[in-house]
Amino acid sequence: MATIRSCVRKMTGYVPGGSAKDPRTIKLNQNENRYPPSPQVAEAIQSAMMQLNRYPDSASLSLRRAAAEMYGVTVEEVMATNGSDEMLLLFFRCCCSPGDEAVGFYPGYTYYATLAAMNDVRYRLIELTDEFRLPKRLNPGDAKLVFLANPHAPTGTLFPEGDVRRLIESIPDGLVVIDEAYADFSGATVIPLLRDYPNLAVVRTFSKGYALAGLRVGLGFARKEILEQFEKVRDFYNLDRLAQAGAEAALRDREWLRKTTAKVIASRERTAEGIARLGFKVYASASNFIFFRSSGDVEAERIFASLLRRNIMVRHFRDRKVSDCLRVSVGTDDDMDAFLDGLARAKEEAD
Ligand code: PMP
């Protein structure tokens, strides 16, 4: 044990929303896409398979070219990583020394705190307002990194571009990381702001909009001077051939993305209305999940358990300000009908 760093011994590992053992489970707890990926992904992976005897392109150049073209940046301003989680880790590895501070928002994506802990970085939280908006007074102090998911997780809130600018301008000496994991559903991105701000970085994932959570591909956008440094530190072959080929094919099939996100958004709106009709407070979502508030911790816990008995998995955070809230990912219309039905019964039981 003495050889293990004390910050590692002290930390708690990240606990992702659980996987389902029963194939009949309606799994609405990890914000995955319920639709299969574009058929062009399977085709691209199939042909890449015959080249598995060769190492992959360490630079993921073809994928990055496609991403650069799509998002209007240069190839040097985008890097490809093994899930966006690898990109998030690189910020800590490259920007922070032990004892430095990073800042996030509460409630928020908790993996940033895990990454901070494993790198011996202090992680400070700024509270969002009661409606999960950015507070008027931001105090990022001398943080090296600031993380904001937009659309936000777990709330689904979309922060307007003006808020993001305010945040970036509040910390000219730190790097502001906008995590756009769910931006395929909002259609809004701050990638063009890279022109205005050298201290901005944007992270995207293929796990949500592109339905490729199992392939593990993410993208990071920042100025060339920053990414040049990051490129030195990442795993040399961080993306295998199949991941590179699949992600590029997904990126090029824009019609698939348009159609699938439109379906998810329509189901989200219908489900949000259904949840509100049952008397819950529903927060506006620009994402592929819905965050809603029950009458208290006990009711939330009972609803969570009751849905689980019906084989429907949602997420309950059991956490200070949001322990009375539940988060449900948007599945197919059939999934959402089963969820709404289960929720209505669960509420009756809990009342
Ligand atoms: N950022 C946010 C806000 C997320 O919710 C998630 C997925 N849980 C990620 C990043 C990580 O995504 P990936 O699968 O690309 O590692």
Side-chain angles (χ1 to χ4, degrees):
M1 279 296 270
T3 55
I4 307 287
R5 296 167 72 202
S6 74
C7 67
V8 174
R9 269 185 275 136
K10 275 191 253 158
M11 70 180 270
T12 353
Y14 181 70
V15 186
S19 51
K21 288 181 191 75
D22 182 344
R24 287 166 303 180
T25 302
I26 300 180
K27 199 173 165 300
L28 304 173
N29 64 337
Q30 280 190 304
N31 302 340
E32 293 147 317
N33 202 314
R34 184 60 171 76
Y35 297 97
S38 154
Q40 295 187 23
V41 170
E43 232 170 78
I45 289 181
Q46 186 74 38
S47 55
M49 266 160 64
M50 293 317 289
Q51 296 167 293
L52 283 177
N53 55 317
R54 298 290 183 199
Y55 282 105
D57 172 18
S58 162
S60 298
L61 205 56
S62 189
L63 167 61
R64 283 167 57 219
R65 280 205 186 106
E69 195 184 303
M70 174 152 171
Y71 291 106
V73 298
T74 65
V75 177
E76 292 76 26
E77 290 169 321
V78 56
M79 77 182 283
T81 53
N82 182 15
S84 60
D85 286 342
E86 186 199 11
M87 189 67 209
L88 295 173
L89 171 61
L90 289 175
F91 289 107
F92 286 95
R93 275 208 196 147
C94 294
C95 305
C96 298
S97 304
D100 280 347
E101 185 173 88
V103 160
F105 290 86
Y106 180 83
Y109 183 41
T110 53
Y111 191 54
Y112 310 135
T114 307
L115 291 169
M118 71 175 81
N119 288 283
D120 216 356
V121 168
R122 284 175 295 127
Y123 187 64
R124 184 164 57 85
L125 288 168
I126 297 176
E127 301 233 348
L128 295 175
T129 68
D130 289 347
E131 287 295 311
F132 305 130
R133 295 275 151 205
L134 217 58
K136 282 218 171 60
R137 270 177 54 87
L138 292 167
N139 176 21
D142 60 358
K144 289 277 164 49
L145 295 170
V146 179
F147 290 91
L148 179 71
N150 196 27
H152 203 56
T155 61
T157 322
L158 181 68
F159 300 108
E161 190 181 295
D163 275 0
V164 176
R165 285 184 182 271
R166 185 156 66 87
L167 181 62
I168 301 169
E169 286 164 13
S170 75
I171 180 152
D173 297 327
L175 190 63
V176 173
V177 181
I178 303 297
D179 181 347
E180 294 190 344
Y182 300 97
D184 294 315
F185 302 99
S186 72
T189 178
V190 296
I191 292 173
L193 297 193
L194 288 172
R195 298 278 157 269
D196 298 347
Y197 300 107
N199 64 326
L200 167 67
V202 180
V203 179
R204 306 280 295 224
T205 180
F206 286 79
S207 298
K208 313 294 177 183
Y210 289 101
L212 291 173
L215 199 62
R216 312 303 306 133
V217 187
L219 295 173
F221 297 84
R223 292 267 177 106
K224 176 172 175 261
E225 308 77 64
I226 295 176
L227 293 188
E228 269 169 3
Q229 304 303 319
F230 280 39
E231 287 286 350
K232 295 192 276 188
V233 170
R234 66 168 168 83
D235 284 352
F236 194 62
Y237 293 120
N238 61 344
L239 284 191
D240 62 56
R241 273 185 182 275
L242 308 186
Q244 291 183 33
E248 184 180 341
L251 213 51
R252 294 194 184 281
D253 193 352
R254 294 191 187 198
E255 192 51 19
W256 180 94
L257 183 72
R258 196 188 58 73
K259 276 196 196 143
T260 315
T261 45
K263 271 197 282 191
V264 172
I265 290 166
S267 307
R268 180 188 75 204
E269 292 308 299
R270 194 176 66 83
T271 309
E273 280 166 26
I275 301 172
R277 229 177 284 126
L278 290 170
F280 297 97
K281 178 174 169 61
V282 179
Y283 293 93
S285 171
S287 194
N288 68 338
F289 56 84
I290 301 162
F291 200 61
F292 60 99
R293 182 158 251 147
S294 70
S295 65
D297 308 5
V298 178
E299 187 185 57
E301 189 66 58
R302 284 194 184 148
I303 289 173
F304 174 80
S306 165
L307 285 169
L308 202 56
R309 279 198 298 279
R310 292 184 166 81
N311 236 343
I312 300 171
M313 287 173 90
V314 299
R315 192 90 191 252
H316 179 214
F317 289 91
R318 297 178 183 87
D319 194 50
R320 201 160 54 85
K321 250 189 163 179
V322 290
S323 55
D324 51 351
C325 294
L326 293 161
R327 189 194 71 189
V328 61
S329 311
V330 177
T332 61
D333 276 333
D334 284 351
D335 291 343
M336 301 330 279
D337 284 344
F339 162 74
L340 284 172
D341 187 51
L343 184 64
R345 286 162 193 247
K347 187 163 193 317
E348 269 168 34
E349 286 167 15
D351 284 346

